[in-house]
């Protein structure tokens, strides 16, 4: 996902822009650039393919560019390959306008052809450059940048967050957003635009989240916001409450490891404010009881690891609520003519709150009459603001592309919501309700126990990191948990891996098991442990090497059969995946470490996928 930063202030802009881009590197990118307006040199633009350090070297850490007004961008390529020309900022033909863009302009080709017929020449293959050229076209007509921006926004179709500067305007930058997030920051020495808070939290906690269709004019002194008809708007300010260190490594080698270790605290922050006098309290949930009782079907819609949370929750919610729960990949749901109606509860899960597939699926569900509940980590994100209800996971900023603490807090928040709804429906016994809630509150301590055995996992990773295909097998909740373990491994170590319902192996896939194949066997779901054990024996009989994950209760049995065994504490069955997943996260981390992979910024991946 691209990153945008802009500054209008009383300090040199370039170093501030570079620092902000550095804090957004976790979003994934392949090129970067900045543009600064100078009183004597007009627009100075420096952009290059590769890591941000290349841009720092090119600009001597920004010293090469003088001026107090500028924009910056890290690009995750969608249209046009990663190279210097396609990097942002894009500049209009006469060199007066520079623009950075996050999103996709869907009608860029027809606009490009129209402009070419007017004699405009293009240098890049991007959709974003078309907007810069179209801006100049309209600016030449009306000689007013704000008016030109309005005309352009009415002409283009697609998603965008723009930062725009013009050499004719020495003190102001213009921002606009639709579907891609953009934040306004009010600082002491100047004002900001940014794709997310991490880029500017060092300078300010006083922010405004722009809404779709809005335009902002940002100067050192103030920020004016307008709607698409250019009517001035009064926007609500928010105060960012997490500290700068939360978005820094804090001495850990990688953000991913830091965030794995932060899971106990992240779960405490997610659970404890929502338990009062032995009851689950969800103050920010406005689901009327009569609505809940009338729910005919529940959909859980998400992507990637968030989808895996949905897979775990399906088993748990059907057990608790006795209602059908359908888990859907967002990218499939939106094109599958879903059976959603006003009696459907649609739960969307998203760490970033910006995943386009999930956002589009939620909009489709709303169009079909469903009530939507968003489980989100990033406060004020687009999905959070558009859902009928939103519950935050309070995991704090998650920087590593491979999610861990956000996944874990999504799991426990879904457990809390499941309990809350089951209580409303009267489908859970008080003793069961109390047992689950008690175990939820002791989960952080049990997680801390798991995290004291990281060396064991590191040892297993050193034995197995050379495998080129690894299976994760399990039944029921173990299978759902295995999906996440497999994705973690694929994402950061680039080893092919597959999670399989172990009862299904005999229907085909077991043909792939041969001497030396590594199988990670998950045996933490007590009700089916014996069945899972028979599958371990099955693969062992075909020469597989088995790394098992089980609970204290089954340690002895598992150690007799598996080649290596990792043991986690016992807890309530519904919560067991919250403990079992941690060794899988650590296994992926240490295997990737052994293989010298870029753990926090894996190839081809972005922290949030805001494109189709
Ligand atoms: C998880 O490690 C991946 N980074 C990815 O699968 C992610 O879970 C997915 O893109 C969904 O992102 P979201 O939770 O921000 O919507």
């Amino acid at each position: 996902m691209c990153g945008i930063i802009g500054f209008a202030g009383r300090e040199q802009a370039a170093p501030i822009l570079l620092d902000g881009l550095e804090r957004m590197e976790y979003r994934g990118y392949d090129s970067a650039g900045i543009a600064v307006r100078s009183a004597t040199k007009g627009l100075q633009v420096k952009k290059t393919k590769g890591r941000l350090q290349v841009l720092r070297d090119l600009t001597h850490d920004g010293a090469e560019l003088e001026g107090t007004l500028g924009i910056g961008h890290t690009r995750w390529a969608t249209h046009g390959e990663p190279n210097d020309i396609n990097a942002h900022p894009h500049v209009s033909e006469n060199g007066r306008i520079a623009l950075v863009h996050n999103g996709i302009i869907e009608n860029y080709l027809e606009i490009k052809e129209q402009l070419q017929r007017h004699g405009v020449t293009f240098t890049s293959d991007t959709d974003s450059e078309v907007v810069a050229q179209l801006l100049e076209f309209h600016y030449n007509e009306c000689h007013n940048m704000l008016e030109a921006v309005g005309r352009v926004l009415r002409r283009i179709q697609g998603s965008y967050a723009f930062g725009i500067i013009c050499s004719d305007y020495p003190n102001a930058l213009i921002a606009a957003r639709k579907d891609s997030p953009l934040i306004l920051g009010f600082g002491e020495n100047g004002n900001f635009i940014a794709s997310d808070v991490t880029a500017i939290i060092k300078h300010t906690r006083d922010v405004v989240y722009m809404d779709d269709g809005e335009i902002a004019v940002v100067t050192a002194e103030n920020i004016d916001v307008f709607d698409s008809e250019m009517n001035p708007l009064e926007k609500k300010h928010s105060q960012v409450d997490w500290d700068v260190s939360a978005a820094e490594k804090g001495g850990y080698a990688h953000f991913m490891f830091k965030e794995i270790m932060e899971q106990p605290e992240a779960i405490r922050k997610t659970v404890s404010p929502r338990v009062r006098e032995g009851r689950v309290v969800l103050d920010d949930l406005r689901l009327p009881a009569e609505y809940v009782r009338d729910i005919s079907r529940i959909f859980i819609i998400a992507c990637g690891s968030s989808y895996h949370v949905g897979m775990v929750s399906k088993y748990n919610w059907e057990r608790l609520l006795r209602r059908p729960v359908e888990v859907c990949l967002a990218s499939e749901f939106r094109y599958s003519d879903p059976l959603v109606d006003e009696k459907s509860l649609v739960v969307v899960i998203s760490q970033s709150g910006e995943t386009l597939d999930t956002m589009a699926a939620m909009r489709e569900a709303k169009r079909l009459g469903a009530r939507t509940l968003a489980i989100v980590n990033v406060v004020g994100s687009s999905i959070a603001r558009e859902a009928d209800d939103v519950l935050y996971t309070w995991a704090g900023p998650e920087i590593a592309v491979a999610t861990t603490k956000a996944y874990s807090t999504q799991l426990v928040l879904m457990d809390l919501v499941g309990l809350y709804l089951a209580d409303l429906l009267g489908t859970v016994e008080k003793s069961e309700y109390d047992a689950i809630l008690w175990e939820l509150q002791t989960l952080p301590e049990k997680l801390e126990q798991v995290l004291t055995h990281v060396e064991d996992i590191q040892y297993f990773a050193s034995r197995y990191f050379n495998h080129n295909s690894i299976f994760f097998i399990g039944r029921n909740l173990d299978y759902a948990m295995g999906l996440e373990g497999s994705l973690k491994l694929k994402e950061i170590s680039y080893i092919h891996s597959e999670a399989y319902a172990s009862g299904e192996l005999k229907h085909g896939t077991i043909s792939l098991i041969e001497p030396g194949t590594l199988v990670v066997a998950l045996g933490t779901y007590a009700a089916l442990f014996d069945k899972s054990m028979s599958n371990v024996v099955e693969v062992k009989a075909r020469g597989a090497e088995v790394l098992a994950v089980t609970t204290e209760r089954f340690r002895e049995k598992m150690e007799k059969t598996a080649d290596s065994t990792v043991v986690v504490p016992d807890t309530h069955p519904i919560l067991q995946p919250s403990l079992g997943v941690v060794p899988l996260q650590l296994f992926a981390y240490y295997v990737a470490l052994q293989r010298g992979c870029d753990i926090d910024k894996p190839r081809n991946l972005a922290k949030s996928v805001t494109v189709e």
Side-chain angles (χ1 to χ4, degrees), residues 53 71 132 152 191 208 246 274 300 331 344 348 419 445:
Q53 190 55 50
I71 50 179
V152 165
N191 293 319
V208 160
R274 295 171 164 131
I300 302 175
S331 53
S344 306
V348 292
L419 269 183
E445 291 81 59

Side-chain angles (χ1 to χ4, degrees), residues 5 70 266 420:
I5 185 167
Y420 176 86

Side-chain angles (χ1 to χ4, degrees), residues 524-592:
T524 71
Y525 182 62
L528 295 176
F529 179 79
D530 292 340
K531 294 280 182 202
S532 297
M533 276 311 292
S534 60
N535 297 127
V536 172
V537 171
E538 222 171 53
V539 295
K540 282 291 292 172
R542 288 153 178 85
E545 175 127 16
V546 174
L547 166 59
V549 178
T550 189
T551 69
E552 203 55 62
R553 177 178 163 190
F554 299 108
R555 173 198 290 270
E556 210 173 310
K557 277 188 181 176
M558 187 61 87
E559 283 179 341
K560 283 183 188 146
T561 310
D563 298 281
S564 318
T565 301
V566 176
V567 176
V568 299
D570 290 278
T571 183
H572 190 282
I574 276 184
L575 308 179
Q576 203 62 65
S578 293
L579 294 176
V581 75
V582 176
L584 307 184
Q585 295 168 342
L586 289 166
F587 181 69
Y589 174 77
Y590 283 120
V591 167

Side-chain angles (χ1 to χ4, degrees), residues 303-306 349-355 358 401-403 410 484 487-488 491 606-609:
C303 304
S305 294
S306 296
I349 304 175
S350 177
Q351 186 286 130
S352 62
E354 299 300 344
T355 300
T358 307
V401 166
T403 182
Q410 288 168 350
E484 177 58 11
L487 176 60
K488 287 279 98 42
E491 270 194 287
K607 182 59 182 170
S608 172
V609 184

Side-chain angles (χ1 to χ4, degrees), residues 469 471 473 498 500-517 519 535 538-539 541-544:
S469 178
F471 286 85
I473 65 170
E498 195 166 350
Y500 234 82
S502 45
E504 184 62 11
L505 273 173
K506 56 188 175 295
H507 298 289
T509 301
I510 200 163
S511 64
L512 296 180
I513 306 296
E514 56 191 4
T517 302
V519 173
N535 297 127
E538 222 171 53
V539 295
R542 288 153 178 85

